[in-house]
Amino acid sequence: MKDVYILAVESSCDETSMAIVKNGREVISLVINTQMDTHALYGGVVPEIASRMHTEVITLVLDETLKKANMKMEDISAIAVTYKPGLTGSLIVGIECAKTLALIYNKPLIGVNHLIGHIYANNLEDKMEFPLLALIVSGGHTELVIMNNDYEFKKLGETLDDAIGEAYDKVARVLGLKYPGGPNVEKLALNGNYSYNLPKPVMDNTYNFSYSGLKSAIINLVHNAKQRNEEIRKEDLAKSFQIVAIDELVRKVEKAFKETNIKRLVVAGGVSANKYLKEEMQKLCHKYQAKLLIPRLLYCTDNAAMIGAAAYPLYLKKEFSDFKLNASSEGSLL
Ligand code: KG4
Ligand code: ZN
């Protein structure tokens, strides 16, 4: 079969990214233009600024992606683009760019779900084999699913309120750390001890998660301490939060290992960049003799290479999108 080169576009939040991915697994080029420093000034992503900045850089990102790969648009097999979930204004910039390229160069267009992209980032490391458990931990989602094959998802559970990444970001904010919060909470926790007694995000016997109680408990604790002029041991609080938040993920994956007997785990989404999470999942997989896949740091957070990887099975099945493809802020896997 002829090699397939997918040009992928990702602009769902505050990264403008494009990549060329060969046969769904080999990254030929990847460019990520992050707006992080701008949004950090406001303590979080400002949607209007995000979409304007995507517009400003997207053609430059395209030029650089092609240049790095030493390829022309004529060499590309298909154009893939994230169409959900994400910030609508940001998604539209990428979608319009992808549609325009598909139209001008007469290439198939492939709409990709961002969360599925995070899962397929693992294919850039090692070929995913099925059945597997996929744990999605991002800024907007916390889900545990079974995959029996490419694009075959069976949801076990999800968060009933806040996503784990969102909890990291809110805890960071109340501790006075800069956006994005996750990596900064992780850094602070390195010098802390587990000494705060926090409520566990336990949803008992289900596979669902709940992080808003844990988040609120920390916000209240910090506010109360301020009112009483008491000092917060920030490092300890960060460490205590991280242990409670991540141990609940471990508990749910362990339950799934026991109940499904599946021996493979892939972790996906921004929070998979967390070292403590990685270490705990490594221990758990060792205990159950399961194979663990976590993408390298570059592919954990938002990037277009994962979109190119996720588009490949759709390309093979000729599941193309038409020009009505539109942005949606909604979207789980199913
Ligand atoms: O997947 P992602 O880049 O964007 C979404 O699709 O949401 O995930 C972003 C989330 C943010 O909440 C960020 O704080 C969190 O991932 N994150 C981390 C770490 N790096 C990013 N959380 C904990 N530890 C990290 N090292
Ligand atoms: Zn993401």
Side-chain angles (χ1 to χ4, degrees), residues 92 101 113 133 194 225 244 249 259 284:
I92 286 173
L101 291 173
N113 178 319
L133 293 169
Y194 179 43
V244 172
L249 299 176
E259 289 178 5
L284 183 71

Side-chain angles (χ1 to χ4, degrees), residues 164-231:
I164 185 169
E166 197 178 338
Y168 261 98
D169 294 337
K170 298 270 166 62
V171 167
R173 189 189 281 225
V174 79
L175 292 177
L177 303 173
K178 262 178 60 179
Y179 170 85
N184 291 323
V185 172
E186 178 176 23
K187 227 181 274 165
L188 197 65
L190 283 178
N191 300 315
N193 293 309
Y194 179 43
S195 59
Y196 280 95
N197 193 13
L198 299 168
K200 295 206 172 8
V202 173
M203 294 302 297
D204 290 333
N205 246 340
T206 72
Y207 284 107
N208 291 330
F209 303 90
S210 166
Y211 281 103
S212 84
L214 174 61
K215 173 199 76 181
S216 303
I218 292 178
I219 294 173
N220 290 340
L221 198 148
V222 173
H223 286 168
N224 289 342
K226 267 189 193 149
Q227 273 174 356
R228 291 196 211 110
N229 256 338
E230 286 169 10
E231 218 186 298

Side-chain angles (χ1 to χ4, degrees), residues 22 26 39 49 66 91 99 101 138 142 170 187 190 193 198 224 231 235 264 274 284 286 320:
K22 181 180 171 184
E26 192 185 330
H39 297 293
I49 296 179
L66 289 167
L91 286 164
K99 280 184 188 172
L101 291 173
S138 72
T142 311
K170 298 270 166 62
K187 227 181 274 165
L190 283 178
N193 293 309
L198 299 168
N224 289 342
E231 218 186 298
E235 287 84 356
R264 297 181 192 97
N274 187 283
L284 183 71
H286 185 72
F320 301 137

Side-chain angles (χ1 to χ4, degrees), residues 258-271:
K258 281 187 192 152
E259 289 178 5
T260 66
N261 218 16
I262 291 173
K263 295 280 181 199
R264 297 181 192 97
L265 172 68
V266 306
V267 189
V271 184

Side-chain angles (χ1 to χ4, degrees), residues 81-220:
V81 63
T82 306
Y83 75 103
K84 71 173 186 184
L87 301 169
T88 309
S90 291
L91 286 164
I92 286 173
V93 180
I95 293 171
E96 290 309 314
C97 168
K99 280 184 188 172
T100 308
L101 291 173
L103 194 65
I104 296 175
Y105 295 99
N106 196 23
K107 307 286 179 192
L109 179 69
I110 305 173
V112 174
N113 178 319
H114 181 82
L115 297 176
I116 298 179
H118 274 303
I119 293 177
Y120 276 84
N122 285 289
N123 250 352
L124 301 171
E125 303 298 351
D126 205 348
K127 191 156 174 39
M128 291 194 292
E129 288 177 75
F130 304 103
L132 59 76
L133 293 169
L135 176 69
I136 301 156
V137 280
S138 72
H141 291 81
T142 311
E143 290 188 27
L144 184 60
V145 299
I146 295 176
M147 277 180 85
N148 283 315
N149 215 327
D150 275 316
Y151 276 80
E152 280 182 31
F153 305 101
K154 183 170 171 255
K155 192 186 293 177
L156 290 176
E158 65 188 330
T159 181
L160 301 177
D161 39 59
D162 294 356
I164 185 169
E166 197 178 338
Y168 261 98
D169 294 337
K170 298 270 166 62
V171 167
R173 189 189 281 225
V174 79
L175 292 177
L177 303 173
K178 262 178 60 179
Y179 170 85
N184 291 323
V185 172
E186 178 176 23
K187 227 181 274 165
L188 197 65
L190 283 178
N191 300 315
N193 293 309
Y194 179 43
S195 59
Y196 280 95
N197 193 13
L198 299 168
K200 295 206 172 8
V202 173
M203 294 302 297
D204 290 333
N205 246 340
T206 72
Y207 284 107
N208 291 330
F209 303 90
S210 166
Y211 281 103
S212 84
L214 174 61
K215 173 199 76 181
S216 303
I218 292 178
I219 294 173
N220 290 340

